[in-house]
Amino acid sequence: MTVILGIDTATSGCAAALVSDNQCLAVRSERMVRGQSEVLAPMIEGVIRDSGMPVSGIDAVAVTRGPGAFTGLRIGLAYARAFALTLDRPCLGIGTFDVLAAQARRSGIATASDVLLIAIESKRAELYVASYTPDGQIIGVPQARLPADIAAFLGNGSRVAIAGDAREKAAVALRGDFAVSLVTDTCVADAEIVATIAVRYLGAPSEAPPSPLYLRPPDVTLQS
């Protein structure tokens, strides 16, 4: 039995889940733009308590590494690394796009499209985007793009399914040139999926570093 703790604070929410051999033992989540630093620790304690699993039974910690909100990413990654270090277990960083794409593929809307576009809010003019085939192969690598530039990023295909918390902004830019469908139940990363994806990296943790994936530099710079 392999038990993985999954964590997400990268998107507009906070979530934790314990997964054992692809079976979810317990999960908690809450939508929020900020405040993850106060919620995350008690949420994880609650998940462990709900599962009945001793802390020592956790084999690895997995956390979304971005892209996403700068503050949220730092909170999740710092907590996950510290928790894994305390347990002397591996800490695995999982891309936010891959998590959201896996969630979206559960929908018939996504699988019936030519392209699955994941659009994440950056809180700036650009959106964080990546595109996939309906069966999960990445087409367009993660980038920060203005909505007007997303069409050129999609390649061939006329039917586009869009998931993520910036899906509405992306849809406005694409309607008229594409047949657009929204995957409305895929807004924030699911901690259960984070843990499930992490299983494939247990034998190669160097391929899933718990370091932030930023697609643009921070807005704050240090004075020299």
Side-chain angles (χ1 to χ4, degrees), residues 61-115:
V61 180
V63 60
T64 42
R65 62 183 295 251
F70 287 110
T71 301
L73 283 178
R74 289 194 294 269
I75 291 167
L77 285 164
Y79 189 94
R81 288 193 295 248
F83 195 82
L85 182 62
T86 300
L87 295 178
D88 191 25
R89 300 291 192 269
C91 185
L92 306 170
I94 309 300
T96 312
F97 283 124
D98 289 341
V99 176
L100 291 170
Q103 289 173 228
R105 288 199 303 276
R106 294 176 169 181
S107 165
I109 295 172
T111 55
S113 68
D114 299 315
V115 180

Side-chain angles (χ1 to χ4, degrees), residues 59-194:
D59 297 295
V61 180
V63 60
T64 42
R65 62 183 295 251
F70 287 110
T71 301
L73 283 178
R74 289 194 294 269
I75 291 167
L77 285 164
Y79 189 94
R81 288 193 295 248
F83 195 82
L85 182 62
T86 300
L87 295 178
D88 191 25
R89 300 291 192 269
C91 185
L92 306 170
I94 309 300
T96 312
F97 283 124
D98 289 341
V99 176
L100 291 170
Q103 289 173 228
R105 288 199 303 276
R106 294 176 169 181
S107 165
I109 295 172
T111 55
S113 68
D114 299 315
V115 180
L116 170 61
L117 175 70
I118 308 299
I120 298 175
E121 182 64 63
S122 74
K123 310 302 182 184
R124 294 296 182 269
E126 304 94 343
L127 305 180
Y128 299 139
V129 293
S131 57
Y132 296 78
T133 62
D135 63 356
Q137 300 300 310
I138 194 162
I139 303 170
V141 296
Q143 296 181 26
R145 287 213 171 195
L146 292 170
D149 297 333
I150 295 176
F153 172 75
L154 294 178
N156 297 326
S158 60
R159 298 172 300 167
V160 179
I162 311 176
D165 61 1
R167 62 187 185 278
E168 296 282 359
K169 290 183 179 179
V172 169
L174 295 176
R175 287 192 178 109
D177 296 318
F178 296 88
V180 173
S181 300
L182 300 182
V183 186
T184 56
D185 61 351
T186 303
C187 297
V188 297
D190 185 332
E192 179 183 350
I193 301 296
V194 175

Side-chain angles (χ1 to χ4, degrees), residues 1-7 16-28 47-48 51 53 57-62 106 190-199 202:
M1 181 174 68
T2 300
V3 178
I4 299 180
L5 172 65
I7 298 170
L18 269 179
V19 173
S20 174
D21 297 333
N22 292 324
Q23 178 182 357
C24 186
L25 303 178
V27 61
R28 293 191 180 192
V47 163
I48 294 171
S51 72
M53 175 69 60
I58 296 173
D59 297 295
V61 180
R106 294 176 169 181
D190 185 332
E192 179 183 350
I193 301 296
V194 175
T196 301
I197 291 176
V199 172
L202 286 173

